[in-house]
Amino acid sequence: MVVARNANTNFWMTNTQDTLSLYDANSSIVDEASWSTAGSGVSYIEDPADAYADWIAANNSTPGSANGGGASPPTYSQSDLMLSEVFPNPVFTLDNSSWPGGEWFEIYNNGSTTMNLSGWSAHDAAGNSLPFNQSHLVGYNPTDSNSWMIAPGE
């Protein structure tokens, strides 16, 4: 599932030395992505050789689609939800443009049960929070309660 910044001015992913942290509904950190330099128009995935290293450039951006392999990520708090791709430096739009432009990141349910995203959020390196809500979940539909859910393998 893609989560987009969508004009939020209190959250950002910088192009150098940044960290994106994923928090569950209990405010526990469950996953983290870091990068040292972000090239324009390049998305980043976990380094398949070392889950503790900075993320590496992907061959191409794949929002909403499967990425290449990855190493087993560090465990902060037990969860099946994980970060799978980040796009911190768009090339043809401003960073805070609305989807499909602007910054975005992708989350993936690696478990066997559907998860409710209510109360989840991401935090930038400065500690600013981006809530998983109707403004940022790509594909959210207020008339469909399932749009808050992420199924296994998504």
Side-chain angles (χ1 to χ4, degrees):
M1 178 176 287
V2 176
V3 182
R5 182 173 164 193
N6 283 344
N8 184 305
T9 58
N10 296 318
F11 176 91
W12 54 89
M13 294 186 281
T14 63
N15 300 339
T16 58
Q17 302 299 321
D18 205 1
T19 301
L20 176 68
S21 302
L22 179 65
Y23 284 80
D24 67 15
N26 296 317
S27 299
S28 298
I29 186 171
V30 296
D31 200 11
E32 193 168 74
S34 65
W35 54 95
S36 46
T37 303
S40 293
V42 177
S43 69
Y44 291 82
I45 59 172
E46 190 170 82
D47 185 341
D50 184 357
Y52 292 90
D54 281 344
W55 284 30
I56 60 173
N59 291 333
N60 51 28
S61 296
T62 59
S65 300
N67 302 330
S72 295
T75 301
Y76 299 98
S77 176
Q78 190 62 35
S79 175
D80 290 326
L81 203 61
M82 57 190 279
L83 294 165
S84 58
E85 187 173 3
V86 296
F87 192 72
N89 191 7
V91 65
F92 297 113
T93 64
L94 297 174
D95 288 354
N96 67 343
S97 294
S98 293
W99 175 261
E103 298 174 341
W104 55 265
F105 57 92
E106 184 180 62
I107 54 176
Y108 178 76
N109 182 349
N110 196 37
S112 58
T113 60
T114 299
M115 297 182 70
N116 185 329
L117 296 175
S118 295
W120 285 70
S121 63
H123 294 224
D124 61 22
N128 301 306
S129 178
L130 185 78
F132 290 9
N133 62 24
Q134 64 275 10
S135 297
H136 305 292
L137 293 175
V138 173
Y140 173 79
N141 179 349
T143 63
D144 181 4
S145 61
N146 288 324
S147 62
W148 284 101
M149 309 300 252
I150 183 167
E154 287 187 351

